[in-house]
Coordinates of all heavy atoms in Angstrom, one line a residue:
R219 N -13.9 9.3 26.0 CA -13.0 8.1 26.3 C -11.6 8.6 26.5 O -10.8 8.1 27.4 CB -12.9 7.1 25.1 CG -14.2 6.4 24.9 CD -14.1 5.4 23.7 NE -14.0 6.2 22.5 CZ -13.7 5.7 21.3 NH1 -13.5 4.4 21.2 NH2 -13.6 6.5 20.2
E220 N -11.2 9.7 25.8 CA -9.8 10.2 25.9 C -9.6 10.8 27.3 O -8.6 10.5 27.9 CB -9.6 11.3 24.8 CG -9.3 10.8 23.4 CD -10.6 10.4 22.7 OE1 -11.7 10.5 23.3 OE2 -10.5 10.0 21.5
V221 N -10.6 11.6 27.8 CA -10.4 12.3 29.1 C -10.3 11.2 30.2 O -9.6 11.4 31.1 CB -11.6 13.3 29.3 CG1 -11.4 13.9 30.8 CG2 -11.6 14.4 28.3
L222 N -11.0 10.1 30.0 CA -10.9 9.1 31.1 C -9.5 8.4 31.1 O -9.2 7.6 32.0 CB -12.0 8.0 30.8 CG -13.4 8.6 31.1 CD1 -14.5 7.6 30.7 CD2 -13.6 9.1 32.5
H223 N -8.6 8.7 30.2 CA -7.3 8.2 30.2 C -6.4 9.2 31.1 O -5.3 8.8 31.4 CB -6.6 8.1 28.8 CG -7.0 6.8 28.2 ND1 -6.3 5.7 28.2 CD2 -8.1 6.6 27.4 CE1 -6.9 4.7 27.5 NE2 -8.0 5.2 27.0
D224 N -6.9 10.4 31.4 CA -6.2 11.2 32.3 C -6.2 10.7 33.7 O -7.3 10.1 34.0 CB -6.8 12.7 32.3 CG -6.4 13.4 31.1 OD1 -5.3 13.4 30.5 OD2 -7.3 14.2 30.6
P225 N -5.2 10.9 34.5 CA -5.3 10.4 35.9 C -6.6 11.1 36.6 O -6.8 12.3 36.4 CB -4.1 10.9 36.6 CG -3.2 11.3 35.5 CD -4.0 11.7 34.3
A226 N -7.3 10.3 37.4 CA -8.5 10.8 38.1 C -8.2 12.0 38.9 O -8.9 13.0 39.0 CB -9.2 9.7 38.9
V227 N -6.9 11.9 39.6 CA -6.5 13.0 40.5 C -6.4 14.4 39.7 O -6.4 15.5 40.3 CB -5.3 12.7 41.3 CG1 -4.0 12.6 40.3 CG2 -5.0 13.6 42.4
A228 N -6.2 14.3 38.4 CA -6.0 15.5 37.6 C -7.4 16.0 37.0 O -7.4 17.2 36.5 CB -5.1 15.1 36.3
V229 N -8.4 15.2 37.1 CA -9.7 15.6 36.5 C -10.7 16.0 37.5 O -11.4 17.0 37.4 CB -10.2 14.4 35.6 CG1 -11.5 14.8 35.0 CG2 -9.2 14.0 34.6
F230 N -10.9 15.2 38.5 CA -12.0 15.3 39.4 C -11.6 16.1 40.7 O -10.6 15.8 41.3 CB -12.6 13.9 39.8 CG -13.1 13.2 38.6 CD1 -12.4 12.1 38.1 CD2 -14.2 13.6 37.9 CE1 -12.8 11.4 37.0 CE2 -14.6 12.9 36.8 CZ -13.9 11.8 36.3
A231 N -12.5 17.0 41.1 CA -12.3 17.7 42.4 C -13.2 17.1 43.5 O -12.7 16.4 44.4 CB -12.6 19.2 42.2
G232 N -14.5 17.3 43.4 CA -15.4 16.8 44.4 C -16.8 16.8 43.8 O -16.9 16.8 42.5
E233 N -17.9 16.8 44.6 CA -19.2 16.7 44.0 C -19.6 18.0 43.2 O -20.3 17.9 42.2 CB -20.3 16.6 45.1 CG -20.3 15.2 45.6 CD -21.6 14.7 46.1 OE1 -22.6 15.6 46.2 OE2 -21.7 13.6 46.6
R234 N -19.1 19.1 43.7 CA -19.4 20.4 42.9 C -18.4 20.6 41.7 O -18.8 21.1 40.7 CB -19.1 21.6 43.8 CG -20.1 21.7 45.0 CD -19.7 22.9 45.9 NE -19.4 24.1 45.1 CZ -20.2 25.2 45.1 NH1 -21.3 25.2 45.9 NH2 -20.0 26.2 44.4
G235 N -17.2 20.2 41.9 CA -16.2 20.4 40.8 C -15.2 21.5 41.2 O -14.1 21.5 40.7
D236 N -15.7 22.5 41.9 CA -14.8 23.7 42.1 C -14.2 23.7 43.6 O -13.6 24.7 44.0 CB -15.6 25.0 41.9 CG -16.7 25.2 42.9 OD1 -16.9 24.3 43.8 OD2 -17.4 26.2 42.8
E237 N -14.3 22.6 44.2 CA -13.8 22.5 45.6 C -12.4 22.9 45.8 O -12.0 23.7 46.7 CB -14.0 21.1 46.2 CG -15.5 20.7 46.6 CD -16.2 20.1 45.4 OE1 -15.7 20.3 44.2 OE2 -17.3 19.5 45.6
L238 N -11.5 22.3 45.0 CA -10.0 22.6 45.1 C -9.7 24.1 44.8 O -8.9 24.7 45.4 CB -9.2 21.6 44.2 CG -9.1 20.2 44.8 CD1 -8.5 19.3 43.7 CD2 -8.2 20.2 46.0
I239 N -10.4 24.6 43.8 CA -10.2 26.0 43.4 C -10.6 26.9 44.6 O -9.9 27.9 44.9 CB -10.9 26.3 42.1 CG1 -10.4 25.5 41.0 CG2 -10.7 27.8 41.7 CD1 -11.2 25.6 39.6
R240 N -11.7 26.6 45.2 CA -12.2 27.4 46.3 C -11.2 27.3 47.4 O -10.9 28.4 48.1 CB -13.5 26.8 46.9 CG -14.7 27.2 46.0 CD -15.9 26.5 46.5 NE -17.0 27.1 45.8 CZ -17.6 28.2 46.0 NH1 -17.3 28.9 47.1 NH2 -18.6 28.6 45.3
E241 N -10.6 26.2 47.7 CA -9.7 26.0 48.8 C -8.4 26.9 48.5 O -7.9 27.6 49.4 CB -9.2 24.5 48.8 CG -9.4 23.9 50.2 CD -9.0 22.5 50.2 OE1 -9.7 21.6 49.8 OE2 -7.8 22.2 50.7
L242 N -8.0 26.9 47.2 CA -6.8 27.7 46.8 C -7.1 29.1 47.0 O -6.3 30.0 47.4 CB -6.4 27.3 45.4 CG -5.1 28.1 44.9 CD1 -3.9 27.8 45.8 CD2 -4.8 27.8 43.5

Side-chain angles (χ1 to χ4, degrees):
R219 290 179 295 171
E220 283 81 358
V221 175
L222 292 174
H223 280 266
D224 284 323
V227 67
V229 177
F230 301 107
E233 280 209 2
R234 293 172 53 105
D236 65 0
E237 287 88 344
L238 283 169
I239 300 176
R240 283 174 174 278
E241 238 182 276
L242 180 61

